[in-house]
Amino acid sequence: MDIAQYRRHAHRLVDWMADYLETVESRPVRSAVAPGEIEERLPDRPPETGEPFERIFADFERDLLPGVTHWQHPSFFAYFPANSSPPSVLAEMLTAALGLNCMLWQTSPAGTELETRALDWLRQMIGLPEGFAGVIQDTASSATLCAILAARERATEFAANRRGVSGEDRLTVYTSAESHSSVEKAVRIAGLGSESLRAVPVGADGAMRCDALAEALERDVAAGARPILVVATLGTTGASGFDRLDVAGELCRRHGAMLHVDAAWAGTAAIAPEFRWMLEGVEHADSFVVNPHKWMMVNFDCSAHFVRDPAAFVRTFEIVPEYLRTAEHGRVIDYRDWGIALGRRFRALKLWFVIRSYGVEGLRAIVRRHVGLAGELAEAIAREDDFEVVVAPRLALLCFRYRPSGIDDPAALDELNERLLHTLNDSGRLYLTQTRVAGAYVIRFCVGQTVTERRHVETAWSFIREAARGLPR
Ligand SMILES: *Cc1c(COP(=O)(O)O)cnc(C)c1O
């Protein structure tokens, strides 16, 4: 493809991209293809000679789009959002065009210095105290892994890096039973083993029980273990529980453990002061992660990781072979030493574009709209006799279930709600996911798409009622 063709195709694609956002609402939210269906449409051998772009793009539309689940659809209420926005996509286009690898300061000073500045903006926006330095990781999973590795090294005085972890170290990690699976995955990858992870039970509010955390810590210390880290969650994935940072922080201090805060989804809400209650005690945190790629209109991937003591992270990760040595080393930030990968995308650009385009007030307004819509939906659900709000909205996530009179058997209710969920999702009109609360199968409803308005939530709710009442019983 020469530059003249590139220019022509790029113009056409930009039009396609704008049309897509304008019409995404008319597409089925969740792809309806069967496993293997897309792969079957694709030739099993690569082409020996180049093909014209027109043909490649036509195949994209014909063969791939049916297999796309439309995350930017206004009726996407599943999981947590991975929302996006026009300024973010524009930045991503520039990022791709520049094709930088921001692994070292020298390999793109603007990449590093914009990252430092944009993350300090974000720190101020969400009300984190001064003294946290930020880095962009690809995902919250990576940030949590980095925190566990740094905690492991700090506890072993950086010896585990050299000799590996041994069973004799008896390092233990604590998190709530409702925390994200990425915590256990990180514990495994860090070589500590799942058995050294304590899943602390949650109370009725979905938050880690502080008394149970204190007991677990004391029991382990009495048995000769070394607690190295507590991972507290703000906004658990299942039903949005919020762990108490002040109490967890105090316990960490008492036992010499680090505190990592996973606020992957909920942290964005802290840009609005009325939602900052969740941050009480955050001054105790050593590490804090929030994903602008979930709820802050920044397209995937962009995970903001704030750390108290960057030197501990650098000491955990830094290896300087000759081919990566630069004259500035030690005087500048080389972000590759703050995480796992060497190569790093220029992700700060989209964060910067988004913050500047919307302004903090504009971003707050969107978050407030989402939270307000979830509250209105909960009220509407509570007004119906045959539905039940199981978890009242905390921010923009709530859980509900269909509970018609005459069905009391828990297994029958689970089965009914599971069928309801499949009926809803198969319709293509909206997309929802499930979780379990105290053993019961419930449907999660999370409002968070950039363009979701009241009418989308209202339409979803009337469709849910209609579908539930029409289910064969
Ligand atoms: C989404 C989520 C994660 C995982 O996020 P990734 O960025 O995809 O790794 C971790 N923790 C919580 C609480 C989440 O909501």
Side-chain angles (χ1 to χ4, degrees):
M1 189 183 296
D2 64 25
I3 295 297
Q5 290 167 324
Y6 166 73
R7 188 183 304 278
R8 191 158 46 77
H9 297 314
H11 280 286
R12 218 186 109 205
L13 280 203
V14 169
D15 280 334
W16 188 93
M17 287 156 59
D19 292 344
Y20 174 75
L21 289 183
E22 256 174 8
T23 60
V24 64
E25 197 169 338
S26 63
R27 298 175 188 265
V29 190
R30 197 197 62 183
S31 168
V33 300
E37 206 177 312
I38 299 296
E39 196 177 343
E40 221 160 71
R41 298 179 189 194
L42 305 170
D44 50 14
R45 283 174 201 288
E48 281 305 322
T49 54
E51 301 180 72
F53 186 72
E54 283 81 358
R55 198 191 311 157
I56 301 171
F57 191 71
D59 289 351
F60 160 79
E61 287 197 286
R62 192 194 56 204
D63 295 334
L64 296 188
L65 268 185
V68 164
T69 290
H70 298 283
W71 281 71
Q72 306 313 315
H73 195 295
S75 300
F76 184 103
F77 303 113
Y79 303 101
F80 280 140
N83 65 21
S84 179
S85 62
S88 185
V89 176
L90 293 178
E92 201 70 292
M93 287 162 67
L94 290 181
T95 294
L98 294 171
L100 313 181
N101 185 332
C102 305
M103 56 189 191
L104 304 169
W105 177 87
Q106 193 179 84
T107 62
S108 253
T112 296
E113 295 188 14
L114 179 66
E115 186 162 332
T116 306
R117 182 63 80 201
L119 283 189
D120 199 60
W121 284 8
L122 183 59
R123 179 192 65 74
Q124 298 170 46
M125 286 162 62
I126 60 177
L128 281 185
E130 278 180 27
F132 278 103
V135 55
I136 301 181
Q137 310 276 13
D138 52 2
T139 59
S141 305
S142 295
T144 297
L145 174 58
C146 290
I148 288 181
L149 292 169
R152 184 192 77 185
E153 289 314 301
R154 207 185 66 152
T156 60
E157 281 156 3
F158 300 87
N161 259 348
R162 226 171 30 246
R163 56 161 166 80
V165 210
S166 88
E168 274 143 50
D169 290 325
R170 310 215 38 209
L171 308 178
T172 48
V173 176
Y174 303 77
T175 193
S176 101
E178 288 292 318
S179 77
H180 195 266
S181 55
S182 54
V183 178
E184 182 171 357
K185 197 185 217 181
V187 165
R188 292 183 189 178
I189 297 170
L192 306 181
S194 294
E195 284 174 10
S196 61
L197 179 66
R198 306 285 178 261
V200 180
V202 298
D205 56 357
M208 176 155 60
R209 274 180 37 210
C210 298
D211 58 327
L213 173 62
E215 273 168 35
L217 283 159
E218 268 148 35
R219 202 179 320 120
D220 284 334
V221 170
R226 275 290 311 268
I228 61 165
L229 182 74
V230 174
V231 180
T233 311
L234 299 180
T236 55
T237 316
S240 192
F242 287 82
D243 295 343
R244 290 273 306 266
L245 304 186
D246 49 355
V247 184
E250 195 45 53
L251 289 169
C252 283
R253 182 170 305 183
R254 192 177 314 156
H255 293 286
M258 280 173 54
L259 176 63
H260 172 65
V261 179
D262 177 359
W265 164 70
T268 288
I271 58 176
E274 68 270 32
F275 303 130
R276 285 211 188 129
W277 43 262
M278 66 172 101
L279 294 181
E280 197 183 334
V282 76
E283 65 278 5
H284 296 293
D286 297 284
S287 171
F288 182 102
V289 64
V290 52
N291 284 350
H293 72 227
K294 271 189 166 148
W295 198 7
M296 210 187 277
M297 289 28 95
V298 178
N299 71 283
F300 187 82
D301 54 343
C302 179
S303 183
H305 186 196
F306 294 95
V307 302
R308 248 315 160 195
D309 180 13
F313 282 77
V314 171
R315 209 170 146 201
T316 299
F317 297 116
E318 182 182 63
I319 298 174
V320 191
E322 188 53 40
Y323 49 81
L324 290 176
R325 209 174 285 283
T326 60
E328 308 80 19
H329 181 74
R331 286 189 289 125
V332 294
I333 294 178
D334 289 327
Y335 276 124
R336 65 162 190 129
D337 297 325
W338 293 43
I340 314 269
L342 168 64
R344 311 183 72 251
R345 284 163 25 76
F346 187 14
R347 299 189 190 91
L349 191 66
K350 57 190 174 181
L351 182 60
W352 192 61
F353 271 34
V354 167
I355 295 172
R356 293 191 57 188
S357 262
Y358 285 93
V360 185
E361 199 45 51
L363 293 171
R364 272 187 206 120
I366 297 177
V367 163
R368 284 176 175 143
R369 186 180 82 225
H370 293 153
V371 174
L373 290 174
E376 290 173 17
L377 174 64
E379 284 168 20
I381 295 174
R383 280 196 294 272
E384 304 291 330
D385 289 338
D386 52 350
F387 279 88
E388 174 181 44
V389 177
V390 181
V391 179
R394 301 189 185 106
L395 304 177
L397 169 68
L398 63 98
C399 302
F400 70 94
R401 65 176 174 167
Y402 181 44
R403 192 177 185 174
S405 64
I407 305 188
D408 292 313
D409 175 47
L413 277 174
D414 288 356
E415 187 272 338
L416 189 64
N417 278 279
E418 195 169 343
R419 257 195 303 135
L420 171 59
L421 184 76
H422 292 149
T423 305
L424 295 169
N425 289 339
D426 289 349
S427 76
R429 289 165 62 177
L430 80 182
Y431 187 18
L432 297 165
T433 47
Q434 80 288 347
T435 189
R436 285 198 183 258
V437 175
Y441 184 99
V442 298
I443 299 177
R444 296 167 75 262
F445 196 110
C446 186
V447 186
Q449 286 315 119
T450 311
V451 294
T452 299
E453 294 168 19
R454 178 170 292 119
R455 69 186 169 92
H456 301 108
V457 176
E458 285 175 354
T459 305
W461 174 226
S462 66
F463 178 54
I464 292 167
R465 274 178 300 173
E466 181 192 316
R469 289 168 188 164
L471 282 178
R473 300 251 288 273

